Amino acid sequence: MSTDGTLVEVTDLSVGYGSVRAVDALSFRLERGAALGLVGESGSGKSTVASALLGLHRGTGAVVQGTVRVAGVDVGAASEAELRRLRGGTAAMVFQDPLSSLDPYYAVGDQIAEVYRVHHKASRRAARARAVQVLDRVGIPDAVRRARARPHEFSGGMRQRALIAMALACEPELLVADEPTTALDVTVQAQILDLLHTLREETGMGLLLVTHDVGVAAESVDDVLVMRNGVEVEHGPVATVLGSPARTYTRRLLKSVPRVDVPRARRPAEAEQGQEPTSAEVVLEAVGVRRVFGRGARAFAAVDDVSLQVRRGEALGIVGESGSGKTTLGRMLVGLLDPSAGQVRREGVAVRGVRPDVQMVFQDPVSSLNPRRSVGESVADPLRARGERDPAVRERVLALLERVGLEPAHYDRYPHEFSGGQRQRIGIARALAADPRVLVCDEPVSALDVTTQAQVVELLDELRRELGLALVFIAHDLAVVRQVSDRLAVMRRGRVVEHGPADEVYESPREAYTRQLLAAVPVLDPGLAALRRAERRELTVTQM
């Protein structure tokens, strides 16, 4: 154990993989009980730093230089036995994807108990009791029963809570959280961030938070270290760095952060068109659509009596928490699912099944691209399906790739050779190949960092204006949706609970549920974030 107040001390840390240097001469300190945010775009090296704190690069072929000390332990010089004591005992890590960290075949409680027994000479009964105790501590309801459940029986937010419970089992001095809220909707994200804050207050543990979301950092840490290309760009108190950034890169990063309190910028070209989307023709319509899954007593309506219209050239945002039915509605609009009741109409005609005029852009472009085919051939599929042949097909695909910001040379490359943002551009190019009138985008930027998000959102907006496309933008991130949408539909438990012009809904929401969603969106002002956290805590207490 260190004798002073320093919990983590990193000096001239460099991590290299062959000719690539992921981290270059980075130094920082974290005091006991404090919280530091590592912020940066994908590829900035922040997750590499987090892994280095627990010696996770050992045996991977990475070349690690410099010194990393955690609670007095020199991680680079530590023996395997010392590293085992460090990991989970002194320091614990919470990863972005809980499913990859939890064994699908074992009960969650048993997995937590096993971690406890590795570090303590405890009986099975005592270890199980500890598992129930920490599950209860992180807010898992009916912890005794849920400890016997397997990971697939938990929601995304509950799985993340379970991972935090596993990290807490041995009362670590340091918690390293690597993008712990990236895949969560805003209300669950707020709950997880509030939980981390409360745990810090009650246990005195230190927190290293890795995130690409500057708003998440503002909600959660005392100091922030901005990284780019493996090096430090700016480091200081969170209010100073976010309020008065000294570096151009930090200012650019902050400018890319979508703001829920800022309306979508209206461009001169939109004002000159003279025709508002509300007066344009309806190109896609849902009329009383309902979709039921399951049968008998297990049947449930994922979407229940929803009616919406999408007009030529407009952008309709659909928001809601996980399980609200927004993705199911999107799949019905595209024709991937047929309604159990009601109709989907295109230009006034009831239709079923997939048709070229309505195309979908998926959340995960990797799962929708064949890894064994070049991206050019994947983009060409809609063209070949309607009978077009080379060389016209290749020329058209090259033009589409260029239009979405890629290069002609990318035609013959494969999906794994592209970044997340580039793969999303490929998905958009393939959707455009069918010459659609409507693009339905299902969480198209949720897995991207803020600057890449901004680029993809800008691309979709340009395409909408230039091609006269209608856009249905489905997302859980209300700040992103505001930068895209003319109108907004808020969904909850399969129904639309609020619907109207986007600015009107954001600025004067009628429904308490909409106000709750908006209150959960991270803000860049740490002082305001603290006030909102206190308000949420007070609301939770009054509801108990």
Side-chain angles (χ1 to χ4, degrees):
M1 299 286 291
S2 77
T3 56
D4 61 9
T6 301
L7 178 59
V8 176
E9 186 171 10
V10 174
T11 306
D12 291 330
L13 174 65
S14 295
V15 182
Y17 301 92
S19 61
V20 177
R21 179 155 286 197
V23 178
D24 191 2
L26 186 72
S27 299
F28 66 87
R29 295 162 68 100
L30 175 64
E31 303 303 309
R32 293 182 180 276
L36 171 66
L38 291 185
V39 177
E41 300 171 278
S42 298
S44 62
K46 55 189 187 297
S47 291
T48 302
V49 174
S51 296
L53 297 188
L54 278 76
L56 297 179
H57 296 305
R58 186 171 293 188
T60 66
V63 177
V64 182
Q65 298 173 310
T67 305
V68 175
R69 292 185 179 274
V70 176
V73 176
D74 185 332
V75 176
S79 66
E80 291 298 327
E82 289 173 320
L83 275 184
R84 283 195 296 271
R85 287 194 293 272
L86 175 71
R87 297 168 182 164
T90 305
M93 194 161 186
V94 177
F95 295 93
Q96 175 179 346
D97 179 13
L99 276 181
S100 67
S101 306
L102 294 169
D103 193 314
Y105 296 105
Y106 292 93
V108 168
D110 289 344
Q111 297 183 56
I112 296 173
E114 183 62 24
V115 170
Y116 186 71
R117 293 189 72 208
V118 166
H119 293 278
H120 295 79
K121 293 180 180 180
S123 66
R124 291 185 183 276
R125 176 177 292 184
R128 289 195 188 103
R130 177 60 176 165
V132 171
Q133 182 183 31
V134 291
L135 284 171
D136 181 70
R137 179 64 198 82
V138 300
I140 299 290
D142 194 5
V144 173
R145 180 178 64 85
R146 297 313 297 265
R148 297 191 292 270
R150 288 173 172 76
H152 74 272
E153 299 177 85
F154 280 38
S155 68
M158 287 179 66
R159 283 194 292 265
Q160 199 59 279
R161 287 175 183 268
L163 271 190
I164 294 172
M166 185 180 293
L168 292 176
C170 298
E171 299 181 343
E173 298 175 57
L174 171 68
L175 182 66
V176 180
D178 188 1
E179 300 279 11
T181 63
T182 295
L184 305 178
D185 57 54
V186 288
T187 52
V188 179
Q189 174 176 269
Q191 292 164 11
I192 295 298
L193 296 178
D194 289 350
L195 171 62
L196 291 175
H197 184 82
T198 301
L199 291 171
R200 280 184 56 216
E201 285 185 331
E202 295 180 355
T203 67
M205 69 179 182
L207 173 67
L208 183 83
L209 177 68
V210 174
T211 181
H212 68 260
D213 190 327
V214 183
V216 167
E219 293 263 344
S220 312
V221 300
D222 308 309
D223 296 293
V224 63
L225 193 162
V226 180
M227 293 187 66
R228 185 188 189 192
N229 298 331
V231 300
E232 174 189 315
V233 174
E234 190 161 355
H235 184 191
V238 63
T240 302
V241 173
L242 301 189
S244 303
R247 302 296 181 183
T248 301
Y249 175 74
T250 308
R251 291 193 290 271
R252 182 166 68 83
L253 196 65
L254 288 169
K255 187 177 180 180
S256 298
V257 176
R259 299 281 297 273
V260 75
D261 56 340
V262 177
R264 180 170 75 87
R266 307 287 170 172
R267 293 170 174 79
E270 292 179 281
E272 292 169 8
Q273 286 174 354
Q275 185 182 42
E276 291 295 323
T278 52
S279 63
E281 63 179 307
V282 175
V283 292
L284 182 63
E285 185 175 16
V287 182
V289 295
R290 192 168 193 262
R291 177 67 192 200
V292 177
F293 293 98
R295 293 183 179 181
R298 295 191 174 186
F300 73 98
V303 174
D304 192 6
D305 192 25
V306 169
S307 296
L308 291 170
Q309 292 183 335
V310 185
R311 298 178 182 275
R312 179 172 57 83
E314 82 163 342
L316 170 67
I318 301 177
V319 300
E321 297 174 281
S322 298
S324 63
K326 58 188 187 296
T327 290
T328 300
L329 175 60
R331 289 176 178 268
M332 285 194 287
L333 293 176
V334 174
L336 293 173
L337 290 174
D338 289 332
S340 303
Q343 293 182 336
V344 173
R345 298 175 182 170
R346 300 182 187 173
E347 300 181 6
V349 178
V351 295
R352 282 179 176 258
V354 178
R355 299 193 179 191
D357 57 335
V358 180
Q359 292 290 310
M360 195 163 203
V361 177
F362 295 91
Q363 175 179 356
D364 180 12
V366 174
S367 64
S368 59
L369 293 171
N370 188 330
R372 295 181 177 85
R373 301 180 69 213
S374 73
V375 297
E377 287 304 301
S378 290
V379 172
D381 283 342
L383 301 172
R384 299 193 193 283
R386 67 188 186 201
E388 295 189 30
R389 294 290 179 264
D390 284 330
V393 167
R394 188 176 182 92
E395 290 176 3
R396 171 70 171 146
V397 171
L398 292 174
L400 286 168
L401 291 175
E402 186 175 3
R403 180 60 197 85
V404 299
L406 298 173
E407 300 173 7
H410 289 150
Y411 186 106
D412 296 309
R413 295 184 185 176
Y414 291 83
H416 72 273
E417 300 179 72
F418 295 88
S419 68
Q422 287 176 319
R423 286 195 290 258
Q424 198 57 280
R425 290 172 183 269
I426 294 163
I428 294 169
R430 186 174 60 177
L432 292 177
D435 293 326
R437 301 198 68 185
V438 183
L439 281 185
V440 178
C441 303
D442 185 15
E443 298 278 10
V445 298
S446 63
L448 307 177
D449 59 53
V450 290
T451 50
T452 309
Q453 276 187 1
Q455 292 164 6
V456 173
V457 166
E458 175 70 17
L459 171 62
L460 289 169
D461 201 38
E462 287 178 3
L463 294 171
R464 181 177 67 86
R465 290 183 286 110
E466 291 177 9
L467 304 178
L469 291 170
L471 187 67
V472 178
F473 195 94
I474 300 168
H476 66 263
D477 190 327
L478 280 82
V480 170
V481 172
R482 182 158 200 187
Q483 305 313 309
V484 178
S485 307
D486 299 303
R487 285 188 302 119
L488 184 71
V490 181
M491 292 192 69
R492 186 187 192 194
R493 296 175 183 171
R495 291 179 172 268
V496 172
V497 297
E498 188 155 3
H499 182 205
D503 290 346
E504 183 179 302
V505 174
Y506 277 96
E507 293 167 13
S508 302
R510 300 187 308 273
E511 298 294 322
Y513 176 69
T514 308
R515 292 194 292 272
Q516 178 186 343
L517 287 179
L518 291 170
V521 177
V523 293
L524 295 179
D525 181 345
L528 178 57
L531 287 174
R532 288 171 53 166
R533 182 168 52 245
E535 290 172 358
R536 291 194 295 266
R537 183 180 298 180
E538 184 177 335
L539 181 61
T540 300
V541 171
T542 59
Q543 290 177 343
M544 292 178 64

